[in-house]
Every structure is written in structure tokens, then in C-alpha cells.
Amino acid sequence: MTIQTETLLPDATGIVRAADLLREGALVSFPTETVYGLGADARNGEAVARVYEAKGRPSFNPLIVHVARVSQAQDFVLWSDTAQALADAFWPGPLTMVLPLATNHGLSSLVTAGLDSVALRVPADPTAQALLQAFGGPIAAPSANPSGRISPTTAQHVISGLSGRISAVVDGGACAVGMESTIIGLTEGPTLFRAGGLAHEAIEQILGRTLASSADSDAITAPGQMTSHYAPAATVRLNALEAQPGELMLGFGDVNGALNLSPTGDLVEAAANLFDHLHQLDARALPIAVAPIPMQGLGRAINDRLARAAAPR
Ligand code: TXA
Ligand code: MG
């Protein structure tokens, strides 16, 4: 489906329009000081599903959630003294922190790809700040490039990659930093997940210790290669047309089950429901049989995720 992509100015009118579009569940690209993000309401599963669709991502990698200020970030996670020290030193700025999810966080499970942690960032760019304040809620945003292409640092880069696939881009000029944020994991000891626009030495100075680096940081940035991806404890059988005795069925379209990813066969709805439904079935501790999902549009990413869930471990 091709839509008309609006180019908005970063003035009051443009920001109000961009915030309204986000509230409707539409996709809006906006500048941060690192790179342009492809934004969606982080609480709206179908809006988040459309982010993967627009980028043509072959798998569900967790996304960064952007908020206007530190107090808002604290609503979603278990905050810590370390997080506070890093926030005091580097927010707003090109730092992303991965923290344990709080209960009742309200974020779409597609944002976190079903993990029990979330990546948070308070950007400094004035256009990003204006949009986050006008919207008032959390914005999930990966870099605004088609999957496999380089990250955009101008509105023109966004247009050339995603025109016709997103509702709007707010043109706030060129990004000041021009490379992605540095990602620090704080769910265990402070760990460098991705080198980026903030030098890790500056972080180590605040922490008073050396950062561990993730065993293979490339594995984290490569879509879908994260070893920490959520996988159900139960065994998973794919392309099933009905449950065998003792199995729980995860349906799609006409193939019904204990839960159905989308009774109407809508892949956006199915993507939005995927991790919630897997978690719910997994909680019942029975083997899971999954209906066939067509290999088109978001079906590719859904099947990728299901194949990982079904892989022997
Ligand atoms: O500068 C940036 O960080 C830009 C701007 C738009 O904010 N965003 C960005 O997003 O680069 P993206 O989706 O291209 O990269 C997000 C990275 C991915 O490598 C993902 O694996 C990691 O963040 N990530 C997100 N949530 C995570 C989590 N819970 N645990 C570990 N890694 C996570
Ligand atoms: Mg990217």
C-alpha cells in the first residue's frame, strides 16, 4: 500500500500534526541528534508492527523507546542508582540504557520483542524534544531506513528510503551527531551493547569502572541475531492445521486455536499479538502448535520469530 508522505516543518503546526498522526497509530519519522528515527506510539502494537513492515525488517529486533525526560523513563522500568548516575550525566543525549521492565509498563510486547527489558533514550535534539512533549507518551523508533540500508541523517535520506511507506517526516535538518546512540545494558553488570555517538570512556568515568562488552556486539546489532531473544519454554510445532492431543493451538485466520493471532488473517494484527500470545500459551506449560503464516509482508518476520521459537535448544 502506498501512502502520501507529508514533509512537516519543525514549527508548532508541524509538531502538532506529527503528534496527531502518532496518536492515530501512523508512522512519523523525526530527527534525533544521532540519526532520524521511524516513530510509532510504543503502546500501540499495530503501530509498532507497521514500523517493521515499513522497514521491511526480516525479523523482530527490539526497538528503542524515546521519552521526553527522565521521570517518564522511570514509569517503564526498574530504575537504579547506576541508571540515575548515567541519566544525570548524559540525558538528554546519545545514550540508550537497557533496563528491566516494570510491571504494568503498558508498552507493546513487540517493542521489546517479548524480552523482559527495554531500551530507553531521552534525545536532546530540539525537534525530537518538541515532538515527545507534544505527543506526551513513549515513541518507539528504530533508525528510519529500509532494512539493510544505512541510517538516515537528513529528512531527504528518509524520503528516498521510505517515501510512500510512512505518513510523515519532520524535517529538522541534519543530525548533529550523525551516528547511532551508544547502548548500555544495565540488567546485569553495566555492559556495552553497541558503541555509538557517546564515547564509552565517558561512561566508564561516571561509573568508576570498566564496561563489560557483550560477547559479540555485532550479534546484537545484526537484525534478529540477538541471543537474548525471547523463546518459550514449551516446544513449538510449526505449520500445524490442528492441535494434537496435549498441544495448545496458536491459530491464524481460519485455522483456529486456544488463541488466534488474527482471526481475519491480518498480518499487522498478528505481529502485534505474537509475543503476548506466545507468553500466554507458554504460561500453560504445554507444547504449542502454530498455524501456517503466509510468507508475505510481516509474515516473513513472524515466521522468522516462530522458527527461532521452534528451533531445538
Ligand atoms: O541513535 C539511535 O539509537 C537511533 C535513534 C533513532 O534513536 N535508533 C536506533 O534504533 O539505532 P535501532 O532499532 O536501529 O537499534 C536499536 C538497537 C538494536 O540493535 C537492538 O537490538 C537494541 O537496540 N535493543 C533494543 N532493545 C534491547 C533490549 N531490550 N536488549 C538488548 N538490546 C536491545
Ligand atoms: Mg538501525
Side-chain angles (χ1 to χ4, degrees):
M1 189 183 67
T2 300
I3 51 177
Q4 183 74 35
T5 302
E6 300 172 33
T7 298
L8 302 171
L9 293 174
D11 58 10
T13 311
I15 294 297
V16 166
R17 174 74 182 144
D20 283 344
L21 285 167
L22 288 172
R23 275 183 209 106
E24 290 166 17
L27 305 186
V28 176
S29 176
F30 63 97
T32 76
E33 67 274 34
T34 58
V35 300
Y36 272 71
L38 176 52
D41 182 345
R43 300 157 300 194
N44 180 334
E46 296 197 10
V48 176
R50 284 187 212 104
V51 168
Y52 292 94
E53 185 177 53
K55 283 181 66 90
R57 266 201 186 174
S59 61
F60 296 121
N61 225 26
L63 306 179
I64 296 173
V65 172
H66 300 70
V67 289
R69 60 190 91 80
V70 178
S71 60
Q72 244 181 317
Q74 293 166 339
D75 293 346
F76 302 112
V77 292
L78 304 178
W79 199 244
S80 63
D81 291 346
T82 307
Q84 186 63 47
L86 292 179
D88 285 343
F90 302 116
W91 276 359
L95 171 70
T96 296
M97 291 194 250
V98 176
L99 289 156
L101 272 172
T103 45
N104 300 322
H105 51 78
L107 299 170
S108 154
S109 60
L110 200 52
V111 167
T112 60
L115 298 172
D116 51 14
S117 59
V118 65
L120 290 170
R121 195 181 153 209
V122 177
D125 179 271
T127 304
Q129 272 294 329
L131 179 59
L132 284 163
Q133 285 168 33
F135 179 60
I139 302 179
S143 50
N145 51 286
S147 183
R149 303 256 299 270
I150 54 174
S151 294
T153 55
T154 66
Q156 194 47 51
H157 295 161
V158 177
I159 291 289
S160 66
L162 295 175
S163 182
R165 299 206 219 170
I166 64 177
S167 290
V169 54
V170 187
D171 187 351
C175 301
V177 174
M179 71 188 285
E180 283 95 341
S181 61
T182 300
I183 305 181
I184 300 296
L186 293 178
T187 52
E188 291 162 27
T191 304
L192 180 66
F193 280 175
R194 180 177 75 185
L198 177 66
H200 69 93
E201 291 88 345
I203 297 168
E204 292 180 336
Q205 203 174 344
I206 295 295
L207 294 176
R209 57 178 288 184
T210 331
L211 286 166
S213 57
S214 50
D216 177 2
S217 58
D218 278 346
I220 299 259
T221 45
Q225 296 306 301
M226 281 180 55
T227 47
S228 53
H229 257 324
Y230 164 74
T235 61
V236 176
R237 184 168 69 88
L238 303 181
N239 296 314
L241 294 174
E242 58 184 2
Q244 286 168 3
E247 280 182 336
L248 281 172
M249 184 81 193
L250 179 59
F252 176 81
D254 293 339
V255 180
N256 229 325
L259 292 173
N260 193 320
L261 289 170
S262 171
T264 59
D266 175 349
L267 289 165
V268 173
E269 183 185 17
N273 284 331
L274 180 64
F275 291 102
D276 280 330
H277 283 11
L278 283 174
H279 272 292
Q280 282 185 54
L281 294 180
D282 199 24
R284 293 167 63 180
L286 291 170
I288 301 168
V290 187
I293 312 288
M295 255 325 218
Q296 69 202 38
L298 280 173
R300 249 171 93 217
I302 296 172
N303 278 307
D304 169 82
R305 183 83 283 281
L306 288 170
R308 285 168 203 282
R313 46 202 127 86

